[in-house]
Amino acid sequence: MEQPTHEEREEDVGPPQPPITVPLSPPEDCVQVTEDGGVLKHILTEGSGEVPMLHARCLVHFIGRCLPSGDVFLNSKEDSQAAEPYIVVAGRDTTQRATGLNLAVATMRAGERAAVYVTDPAYGYGEKGSFSFPSVPPSCQLVYEVDMIAWEPPAEGVDRRTMLYEERLEAAERRRKEGNALFGEGKFTEALAKYAMALSYCDEDFMLQLHGLHLDKAEDVTNPVYLNMAAVQLKQGDFAAAAHNATQVLVRDPKHIKALFRRGKARAGMGRTVEALEDLSSAATLDPEDREVQRELLALKRLQKEEQKAA
């Protein structure tokens, strides 16, 4: 049998693997990045300063490895000839894969070095994996060795017509959160203005262009905005506007309990008792354990009886 040539032996070995400097199993002192524990972080070197703003542009270097093998699927320092750091958008979850890294980077400070464990493949490359670049097996758990270099705030004041899909959703999400903060302070008019601004990034023309997962992600942003607007308008006594905004959610999801509840309250406020009962009864059927729905439904039934007696 012929011995392989020197060149053939080099090809068989493949590119050199960087040394493994992080545990391949999550240590006990990991912190949960996501509530379900699908993304964990273990700090190796503390950073300084503030964590990034939501959707900030973060400069990072990282090595991504498949578990349990430890095989490298991406190395930012070898991915380009100039070994330039990657730009990762902090907290971006509108992409179809590798959201775990984005979520973890949102918790890191400049100079911080951490091991990020993606224990749920849904935060990595999913059930199907990736057969192009980078190559990741199906349903693969991951670990990243991440170095946070620096971050800068997201760009504001950009013409929305030139914005990418992800940038539009992220701009809308930031306005929603600003509106929530104002709502919590009792500044209802200012909160409504923020919510309206959020929806301006996801207007009808934009939504009509979306399908499948892209539309689902967009509705994950817009539905809470409509519901929050309805909540503010209920407090203000603007029942017609509250019913309208709750309906925007129900057009897409007729079984949305919170939308049914808020439209029911709005219709009751407008004196449309029969329609209000329909909404609240539907909500109660979908979630019999929701005490707030049951309480509102009972009060409305009592009101209906009183109206019938008066008639």
Side-chain angles (χ1 to χ4, degrees):
M1 180 182 294
E2 292 185 1
Q3 293 294 320
T5 64
H6 176 68
E7 289 77 7
E8 288 173 334
R9 286 197 298 269
E10 286 188 337
E11 289 178 0
D12 290 341
V13 171
Q17 295 276 306
I20 298 175
T21 56
V22 299
L24 294 182
S25 297
E28 291 184 359
D29 60 347
C30 281
V31 295
Q32 290 191 178
V33 174
T34 59
E35 291 184 2
D36 60 6
V39 182
L40 306 170
K41 187 182 77 167
H42 172 60
I43 297 176
L44 302 169
T45 304
E46 295 282 353
S48 60
E50 300 294 327
V51 297
M53 296 172 58
L54 181 63
H55 305 138
R57 290 161 55 87
C58 305
L59 287 177
V60 301
H61 268 307
F62 65 87
I63 299 173
R65 299 179 184 273
C66 297
L67 296 176
S69 66
D71 293 338
V72 174
F73 66 86
L74 191 58
N75 185 341
S76 64
K77 292 186 178 180
E78 295 182 357
D79 189 38
S80 65
Q81 292 182 350
E84 295 177 350
Y86 268 43
I87 295 175
V88 174
V89 178
R92 172 174 282 180
D93 61 358
T94 52
T95 54
Q96 297 185 33
R97 61 186 193 177
T99 58
L101 178 62
N102 303 338
L103 297 173
V105 165
T107 70
M108 297 180 66
R109 295 171 167 79
E112 181 177 327
R113 185 166 187 270
V116 175
Y117 297 89
V118 178
T119 61
D120 183 347
Y123 294 105
Y125 290 83
E127 293 181 359
K128 296 181 179 179
S130 174
F131 295 98
S132 58
F133 178 81
S135 179
V136 178
S139 300
C140 185
Q141 295 183 336
L142 312 171
V143 60
Y144 295 92
E145 305 169 42
V146 187
D147 289 287
M148 167 70 97
I149 300 170
W151 62 270
E152 62 178 22
E156 296 287 352
V158 179
D159 185 346
R160 68 201 61 184
R161 292 172 298 180
T162 66
M163 297 173 74
L164 300 175
Y165 163 80
E166 293 87 358
E167 292 171 337
R168 280 203 179 209
L169 297 193
E170 289 160 4
E173 178 68 1
R174 290 196 297 277
R175 271 51 175 201
R176 183 184 73 84
K177 292 193 172 184
E178 291 169 359
N180 289 354
L182 292 166
F183 186 12
E185 296 171 8
K187 299 177 180 178
F188 300 138
T189 302
E190 294 89 339
L192 282 176
K194 285 292 182 183
Y195 294 144
M197 184 61 71
L199 292 176
S200 73
Y201 286 94
C202 300
D203 56 22
E204 186 177 0
D205 289 341
F206 173 70
M207 298 294 283
L208 287 173
Q209 298 175 45
L210 305 179
H211 303 280
L213 182 62
H214 288 93
L215 180 59
D216 293 342
K217 289 284 188 181
E219 289 178 352
D220 287 344
V221 173
T222 58
N223 283 353
V225 177
Y226 284 120
L227 290 171
N228 293 348
M229 293 182 80
V232 173
Q233 289 154 345
L234 283 171
K235 286 186 173 294
Q236 293 180 321
D238 190 353
F239 301 121
H244 170 79
N245 283 313
T247 299
Q248 302 310 303
V249 177
L250 292 167
V251 166
R252 299 177 173 89
D253 182 2
K255 295 183 178 180
H256 197 293
I257 295 171
K258 190 174 289 186
L260 285 167
F261 174 68
R262 290 185 181 169
R263 190 173 70 174
K265 288 189 67 173
R267 284 176 164 177
M270 297 164 67
R272 295 162 58 178
T273 307
V274 174
E275 293 170 297
L277 281 170
E278 290 176 356
D279 283 339
L280 293 172
S281 296
S282 296
T285 300
L286 291 167
D287 186 3
E289 301 301 320
D290 191 319
R291 293 182 179 180
E292 191 174 10
V293 171
Q294 296 290 348
R295 186 165 54 248
E296 194 72 26
L297 180 58
L298 181 60
L300 193 57
K301 286 180 176 179
R302 288 173 178 166
L303 177 62
Q304 187 184 42
K305 287 182 179 180
E306 291 173 2
E307 290 176 345
Q308 290 171 345
K309 287 182 180 179

